[in-house]
Amino acid sequence: MLKKHALDPIKLIWLFAGSLIINTGVSFIWPLTTIYIHNYLHETLTIAGIVLFINSAFTMVGNALGGFLFDKWHPYQTLLTGVSISTLSTFLLVLFHGWPAYPILLITLGLGNGIVVTGLNSIATLIRSRNASYVFNVLYFTQNLGLVFGSLMVGFILPFGITYIFLLAFIMFAFLSIVVFLEYRGLNQAHAAKGKKVAESEYQEKIPYGAKKAIFSILICVLAAWITYEQWNSNISSYMLGLHMSVRLYSLLWTLNAVLIVLIQPLLTYFDDWLTQHLHGRLYIGFSLFGLAFLLLIGANHYFSFVLAMAVLTCGEILAFPAVSTFVNDRASNKDKGKYQGIVQSVTSAGRALGPLIGALVIDNFSYLVLFIFCTVLVLISVLLFAMINTYNKKKIAK
């Protein structure tokens, strides 16, 4: 039986609110990056791509740093540090958003956000009133809900000027700073209590070798999935435009993605206990759908093919991504749970950084057809490796 919420380091509502606020704030900025650099600052698309790559790299550094500081330093101060960097970066963007101030501040914003996102996921490992899988599911829901809110608001605010976009982002991060400062104070005490418990017991002090292999294999799945996912953010848009489909039709695919997540994710959360009991199957099916979605694009000439592929991809995303954090959390040692949540986020950032580059190289040297086949094979091979390692671990335990 789970303990009462009074034993949670913070109230769940404030954890979920923090996730919603930061993802809403981020979504005011990231969708505009390429357009702003190319159309407003008059830099090349190559420069825009380089800026996005460096931003992802610094987000990855922030993810790793956030997980390390959460475990080895103080969780509360770690969250405050990350949100302070993000708040200061957005404040300076309101005042200075020319070249090169914009890309520099975008990079520092990525660093701060990386620390905060990992910190929020790491807090889920300290919650006692709910299963970790439930918390990760709701965090994934609030993350996407924030992206929906932010993206919709950008369309209404941008005509008034880009400065108002940065101002709104600053307001969101300033609000998050207040929430963290006032409501996250109990983190250090809970973390210290967990550290004392770990010190008094050798239970899970070290991760078994089989568990390390399982974590490594699921991280390969995450990397493969995000490399392929980023094709939808970059190269597939060009492919659709080449088929004389409009930007509006392309953007509607992301509306479909968001709507499916907002509608289906709460349903999965309701059946969380059953899904947790079948965690491996959930991951196998989720990542397999990710790969199979690209098969639907082979020879695709009609918009419905893209709609169907996006729907399949989104279903795979909903099943797999929140379950990864649960899978890793179950196998990480008590003293390193924040570190491993940071690694999950770092691998995600690495996939986001590498995806557009790898996709462009495949298209330039071969074709879109080869890209779609490559994406399918890459994901399915990673799933096969994950399944083989899990099967081997089960047989070893059974002996």
Side-chain angles (χ1 to χ4, degrees):
M1 186 174 179
L2 293 171
K3 299 178 182 179
K4 294 181 180 179
H5 66 82
L7 295 178
D8 289 342
I10 66 171
K11 292 181 179 179
L12 274 178
I13 186 66
W14 291 115
L15 173 60
F16 299 146
S19 175
L20 180 64
I21 295 166
I22 188 174
N23 283 289
T24 303
V26 169
S27 64
F28 288 140
I29 295 176
W30 73 261
L32 296 174
T33 300
T34 300
I35 295 172
Y36 184 65
I37 291 177
H38 185 58
N39 294 0
Y40 287 72
L41 299 180
H42 308 294
E43 299 292 336
T44 65
L45 287 173
T46 301
I47 293 295
I50 292 172
V51 170
L52 285 171
F53 180 85
I54 297 174
N55 172 257
S56 295
F58 271 79
T59 301
M60 187 166 59
V61 171
N63 294 143
L65 185 61
F68 175 81
L69 293 176
F70 193 95
D71 287 329
K72 306 300 182 185
W73 189 40
H74 306 296
Y76 178 60
Q77 283 86 338
T78 298
L79 266 294
L80 276 180
T81 299
V83 76
S84 296
I85 293 172
S86 297
T87 303
L88 179 60
S89 298
T90 49
F91 174 72
L92 292 174
L93 275 172
V94 176
L95 304 176
F96 311 103
H97 42 263
W99 189 269
Y102 175 75
I104 293 172
L105 293 172
L106 196 68
I107 289 167
T108 60
L109 179 62
L111 177 67
N113 288 344
I115 294 172
V116 176
V117 169
T118 295
L120 293 175
N121 267 34
S122 299
I123 292 171
T125 67
L126 300 177
I127 298 298
R128 295 293 173 263
S129 64
R130 292 280 192 168
N131 290 326
S133 57
Y134 171 87
V135 182
F136 287 128
N137 281 338
V138 180
L139 281 175
Y140 192 73
F141 173 75
T142 54
Q143 170 189 332
N144 284 281
L145 191 61
L147 295 178
V148 171
F149 284 160
S151 299
L152 287 174
M153 291 174 70
V154 164
F156 292 103
I157 298 168
L158 186 59
F160 296 100
I162 195 72
T163 302
Y164 291 98
I165 297 291
F166 298 136
L167 178 61
L168 200 55
F170 165 68
I171 291 171
M172 296 302 295
F173 282 106
F175 182 43
L176 179 60
S177 297
I178 296 170
V179 169
V180 171
F181 180 74
L182 295 178
E183 300 295 338
Y184 286 44
R185 292 174 179 270
L187 287 177
N188 287 350
Q189 186 178 356
H191 188 260
K194 187 188 78 169
K196 183 178 179 181
K197 186 177 179 181
V198 170
E200 292 173 350
S201 172
E202 293 183 0
Y203 176 68
Q204 273 199 339
E205 185 68 18
K206 291 185 179 180
I207 305 177
Y209 181 64
K212 282 187 177 180
K213 289 199 300 182
I215 291 174
F216 177 73
S217 64
I218 195 65
L219 290 176
I220 291 177
C221 287
V222 172
L223 181 64
W226 274 105
I227 287 173
T228 57
Y229 198 175
E230 282 304 303
Q231 306 313 312
W232 286 89
N233 278 325
S234 54
N235 299 306
I236 288 178
S237 59
S238 300
Y239 182 65
M240 291 179 66
L241 292 174
L243 294 173
H244 306 293
M245 297 180 192
S246 66
V247 174
R248 180 175 175 274
L249 287 176
Y250 169 72
S251 66
L252 282 175
L253 291 177
W254 289 109
T255 304
L256 171 66
N257 173 267
V259 169
L260 287 175
I261 290 173
V262 170
L263 290 178
I264 298 175
Q265 190 67 46
L267 183 64
L268 296 188
T269 302
Y270 181 78
F271 292 102
D272 177 66
D273 289 341
W274 186 86
L275 289 168
T276 302
Q277 293 172 12
H278 301 84
L279 187 63
H280 287 194
R282 176 180 176 177
L283 288 164
Y284 296 150
I285 294 172
F287 281 117
S288 296
L289 288 174
F290 237 99
L292 294 174
F294 287 90
L295 287 180
L296 298 173
L297 297 179
I298 295 176
N301 292 311
H302 301 287
Y303 184 63
F304 178 74
S305 299
F306 292 90
V307 171
L308 184 60
M310 175 58 85
V312 172
L313 183 89
T314 304
C315 290
E317 172 187 355
I318 295 168
L319 283 170
F321 283 168
V324 169
S325 295
T326 302
F327 182 88
V328 172
N329 180 63
D330 289 346
R331 284 151 186 80
S333 65
N334 285 324
K335 66 176 183 178
D336 287 329
K337 288 186 180 292
K339 168 187 170 184
Y340 278 93
Q341 291 302 320
I343 291 173
V344 171
Q345 298 301 322
S346 294
V347 172
T348 298
S349 298
R352 284 173 164 165
L354 292 172
L357 177 62
I358 292 174
L361 288 173
V362 172
I363 294 166
D364 288 343
N365 289 283
F366 301 99
S367 64
Y368 280 102
L369 172 63
V370 174
L371 174 65
F372 300 149
I373 295 172
F374 167 78
C375 289
T376 301
V377 172
L378 180 66
V379 174
L380 294 183
I381 287 178
S382 71
V383 175
L384 181 61
L385 175 65
F386 175 54
M388 289 172 60
I389 289 176
N390 276 331
T391 302
Y392 174 78
N393 285 343
K394 288 179 181 178
K395 288 181 178 178
K396 192 173 181 180
I397 292 172
K399 288 182 179 179

